[in-house]
Amino acid sequence: MNPRPLLSLAGIVKSFPGVRALQDGRLELRPGEVHALLGENGAGKSTLIRILAGALAPDAGSLLLDGAPVHLRSPHEARRRGISVIFQEFNLVPAMSVRENLFLGQEQASAGLLHHDAERKAAQRLLDRLGATFHPDTPCRDISVAEQQLVEIAKALLHDTRILVMDEPTAALSGREVDRLFGIVRDLRSQGIAIVHVSHRLDEVFALCDRATVLRDGRHVFTGNVSELTRTALIEHMVGRSLDAEFPRRHPTMGPARLVVRNLQRGTAVQDVSFEIRRGEILGLAGLVGAGRTEMARLLFGADRPDSGTIALDGIPLRIRSPRDAIRAGICLLTEDRKHQGLVLNHSVLENFGLPNLSRFSSLGFLRQRSEVAALRTYVDELRIRIPHTDQRVGLLSGGNQQKVVLAKWLETEAEVVLVDEPTRGVDVGARFEIYQLLHKLADAGKAVLMISSDLPEILGMSDRILVMHAGRITGEIADVPQATQADVLRLATAESLEPAGPTSASTP
Amino acid sequence: MKTVPSPLRRLASDYGMVLVLLALGLYFSAVTITTHQPTGKDAAVQVAARVRSGETVFIVTRRTPEDAAYVEALQTALRSRSVSMAATVQGEPRDARIALEQLNTGTRPLDALLTTSDCATWTILKDLTNRFPNLGTPSFLTPEPHRWPTFLTRQNLLNVANQIAVVAILAVGMTLVILTAGIDLSVGSILALSAVLTTALLRRWGGPDASTGSQFLASGLAIAGSAAVGLLSGTLVAGFRVPPFIATLAIMQIASGLAFIVAEGSSIYEVPESFTILGRGTGFLGVPNAVWLMLFLYAIAHLLMTRTVLGRRIQAVGGNPEAARLSGVNLPAVLLFAYGFCGAMAGIGGVVQASQLKSGAPTYGQMYELYAIAAVVVGGTSLAGGEGRVLGTLIGALIIAVIQNGMNLTGVQSYQQKIVLGGVILGAVLLDLLKRRAQKP
């Protein structure tokens, strides 16, 4: 019943200047298991993974591989010992082909000359094993995120990996891609490989994982069989307190339509999209990655320009040619990619907060920093943003706190239309609940809220009405959300049985 | 919740280079200590302190500007202390003899003879008691020599500041461009263009007889032209997304070519004497005008970057252009401003250079862009953009100037100086990288 552990970490301690990232990190892996590594942001998961990857050396603690103590001095050594880590940010050279990426650092060559054919054959074998359909000579920048992930997995297999660590592997994948990934993971498990699955999505833990380890505040708090766990129990382990519900309750009161969008079009990404958001409504926008949801939101915000279509707020047509116009018109967009589009990471919380609001905090072009700080402080209290001081670099904050800073900067613009794209991606459970409460508060204040999310429980739990997009079009609407299931949303999102159809004909009752 | 981290820590992390500058200053002070002969006012203060009130003195010096200042300061100091000055002589030993002969006809002896160490060797003075018995045996008071670092003399420090002024002015503009994650290689060429434009206009408007008004107009036009060249770079970068390195490399060639065309390939010397006031004159507190101008521009740029909306936006554009755009920042406008400002600074640098050298030549400013970039980098601004401070650049420029000056004073050869400078730039970049690595969790 209890096979000998393949790897066991115990008492791992790791400190950074000013932060104790891990105080008691523990992890035990058995061959042929999928092991969930869970915890809120800042719990120490990333640090533990980086120690496993050989990228960080622990200050104290033991690491046993096959029962023998080892020191992983470099990523190279970790790989040599059969440990591969796939980080969220892939380590691929975009301009190089899949094959070149696979063999980067261990090129098949003699006397410095590459054996292209041998490489190509080996690459093809690996890709076939993973069910990949792209050619090994395709440049990596030309394949999708899901396919790049396959390349990363193939790279790990090429190194005779026995332990494969995947950091939030499903964060950027659509439903079907997730299914395929899980199929591959199960296949690898049957070959005796131990897989560590790091994720914020509890559904995945129950669907895929055999055992789970939970970290909290740098300490190990729980390890056990997933089959003996409930969702609530798992969340309580992670946050360290009992939760009443995953989503806050709310009784929406809705008014007339505020934002009215008609026939919005941009290439093939967004085709003939029409909808409206009512006063006080949270409109959920579901769909697979690449369905055109983000692209549509960017059109509303002026980040890209539509080919055609109209946007009106409270009956007044808007001319939006840039984000500046949108902000002036009262529209804000919380982007899905917080780090690259939402924040200037190496700048302070204050500077990020002020960026879209500088005209409010200045006179004659000169900043009035005192009023800026005062405004920020009200949000720090209201949103419970945990920062040591307002000059803290935003890049050093946890995902949840970063997201709160982005929310604060947009709330301060007093936007009437709030577009949020994956608002809880990379945000821990506790902060998630607070963000949900905030969205409710905005809707209750009469604003029009559009929430894009790939997290189906979130879409179902938060929306007053759900629109589903597929291939650039709106393929359905779910008006009676409490009665809808994840399957209903998925059916509309994949739109397999549906030929191009209007929004109403595909709606569920 | 505190609003700011402790000021001391902030100072260390923001302006750690200040400590480096101070350390360098201390080092060069220590190695340049030599014997100094005080002159002028300093000497007068020292000598006057040794005269008791009520005494009768005789002052004798040569007729040089320094000695004149000495005598004048002495007279002022002694008059207020009711010291009776029997006579004051400024001239040759002969003049001293005539004065002494006259004094010798009276009966009042002298208490002290105030002079310089140079005049104290005159035989007429050495022989005083024998030849003029009526004057008694006055004591000789001359300025005492003292040991002091050559580096730390007022004159040398002003020299350091004056020599770096032009590069430091270029570096202000360069700081703004580098903060936007760009670079401007054209500043040296723009400087040359500005210098020849100014002098060519002055030659046309009367040469050595050009009026003050036309001097201002010529300088203003040259600076405006330089700003326009900067805006051209900005348009290429902001409008056509040409990488800044390439865009400004091209503009560097074009501006240099224009400078040669305007100057018809040679230097222009036909400028009025009064035009050198900016570059060679001194102003308030005896500080050179060019240094005042440099400090003024740094103050303006510092205010711009720390207190204005535009400054904040420049930082944001360098830190993350996409996030800035999605926060409503007008990206092209910010970039245009940065390059235009940088061009204008290079233009001002050109006018100062022309004024210092009293001429304009298309060969001015060669390699200056690299010195300006070095000052910015040594000052702690990240070449990746979005992080850095204007005052850091001033410190960076001063560090470079102090090292060059210090090595000149200690007789290090110019070839070796280059190696040291290169090492300093590398050291600054490595420090920055280490700091960055420590910040990453």
Side-chain angles (χ1 to χ4, degrees), chain B residues 182-183 233 236-237 240-249 339:
Chain B
I183 195 132
S233 300
L236 292 173
V237 172
F240 299 92
R241 311 214 169 175
V242 182
F245 190 95
I246 304 298
T248 58
L249 186 66
Y339 285 91

Side-chain angles (χ1 to χ4, degrees), chain A residues 324 343 347 367 377 393 409, chain B residues 3 307 320 327-328 386-387:
Chain A
R324 258 193 315 156
L343 294 167
H347 285 186
L367 294 170
R377 280 200 174 147
R393 275 175 182 237
K409 89 174 186 182
Chain B
T3 306
R307 294 267 182 270
N320 185 342
S327 296
E387 267 179 285

Side-chain angles (χ1 to χ4, degrees), chain A residues 45-86:
Chain A
K45 288 172 306 191
S46 313
T47 310
L48 197 67
I49 297 176
R50 283 164 69 188
I51 287 172
L52 265 181
L56 284 177
D59 301 337
S62 69
L63 196 159
L64 303 178
L65 195 62
D66 295 322
V70 288
H71 288 284
L72 303 175
R73 284 181 199 86
S74 68
H76 181 74
E77 185 171 356
R79 218 174 297 136
R80 207 167 43 78
R81 292 187 181 274
I83 304 174
S84 284
V85 180
I86 301 178

Side-chain angles (χ1 to χ4, degrees), chain B residues 184-219:
Chain B
D184 191 343
L185 299 178
S186 65
V187 291
S189 300
I190 295 181
L191 178 143
L193 180 61
S194 165
V196 295
L197 267 179
T198 310
T199 48
L201 285 172
L202 286 177
R203 177 168 64 184
R204 174 168 293 201
W205 293 339
D209 304 318
S211 68
T212 311
S214 53
Q215 288 179 35
F216 273 107
L217 190 61
S219 307

Side-chain angles (χ1 to χ4, degrees), chain A residues 139-209:
Chain A
C140 271
R141 60 162 174 252
D142 292 345
I143 60 177
S144 72
V145 173
E147 289 169 332
Q148 290 179 8
Q149 192 172 49
L150 286 185
V151 177
E152 286 277 9
I153 296 173
K155 219 163 119 181
L157 295 179
L158 195 65
H159 290 90
D160 290 326
T161 288
R162 292 191 298 153
I163 296 167
L164 178 63
V165 183
M166 302 173 81
D167 189 7
E168 299 221 31
T170 59
L173 300 190
S174 67
R176 197 166 344 152
E177 290 166 343
V178 169
D179 288 345
R180 194 165 72 166
L181 174 69
F182 284 6
I184 291 169
V185 168
R186 290 192 185 101
D187 190 40
L188 296 176
R189 170 172 65 184
S190 69
Q191 294 166 26
I193 294 176
I195 293 126
V196 179
H197 181 77
V198 183
S199 178
H200 280 296
R201 296 185 185 170
L202 297 185
D203 295 354
E204 295 175 2
V205 173
F206 288 97
L208 182 70
C209 301

Side-chain angles (χ1 to χ4, degrees), chain B residues 144-208:
Chain B
E144 297 271 331
H146 61 275
R147 291 178 66 72
W148 188 254
T150 310
F151 173 79
L152 218 54
T153 53
R154 178 185 160 80
Q155 198 49 48
N156 185 59
L157 291 179
L158 288 179
N159 247 342
V160 169
N162 202 26
Q163 274 165 5
I164 202 68
V166 170
V167 165
I169 288 171
L170 298 189
V172 189
M174 187 68 79
T175 307
L176 262 65
V177 169
I178 288 180
L179 277 172
T180 69
I183 195 132
D184 191 343
L185 299 178
S186 65
V187 291
S189 300
I190 295 181
L191 178 143
L193 180 61
S194 165
V196 295
L197 267 179
T198 310
T199 48
L201 285 172
L202 286 177
R203 177 168 64 184
R204 174 168 293 201
W205 293 339

Side-chain angles (χ1 to χ4, degrees), chain A residues 290-422:
Chain A
R293 299 170 301 167
T294 298
E295 291 77 0
M296 202 273 291
R298 284 174 64 89
L299 293 183
L300 296 183
F301 187 60
D304 300 315
R305 296 219 195 141
D307 301 334
S308 59
T310 61
I311 303 165
L313 178 59
D314 297 328
I316 301 158
L318 302 179
R319 225 168 93 89
I320 297 171
R321 298 157 56 94
S322 68
R324 258 193 315 156
D325 292 347
I327 292 166
R328 239 175 263 156
I331 300 175
C332 71
L333 169 68
L334 181 137
T335 55
E336 61 175 337
D337 186 346
R338 193 166 51 228
K339 294 191 167 155
H340 294 111
Q341 302 179 332
L343 294 167
V344 186
L345 287 179
N346 54 16
H347 285 186
S348 71
V349 172
L350 185 71
E351 285 166 321
N352 273 284
F353 167 74
L355 200 50
N357 301 303
L358 289 180
S359 54
R360 193 184 299 254
F361 298 129
S362 64
S363 39
L364 301 172
F366 281 87
L367 294 170
R368 289 184 289 120
Q369 263 182 15
R370 216 168 292 165
S371 66
E372 194 181 9
V373 171
L376 173 58
R377 280 200 174 147
T378 62
Y379 290 102
V380 167
D381 294 341
E382 192 188 327
L383 305 183
R384 274 177 279 172
I385 309 178
R386 276 171 280 274
I387 48 172
H389 48 77
T390 56
D391 277 352
Q392 173 80 2
R393 275 175 182 237
V394 112
L396 297 179
L397 302 180
S398 72
N401 278 316
Q402 287 183 353
Q403 195 71 313
K404 287 176 179 178
V405 172
V406 180
L407 278 165
K409 89 174 186 182
W410 288 126
L411 292 180
E412 178 60 21
T413 66
E414 294 180 351
E416 290 303 310
V417 179
V418 180
L419 315 171
V420 293
D421 194 353
E422 306 287 1

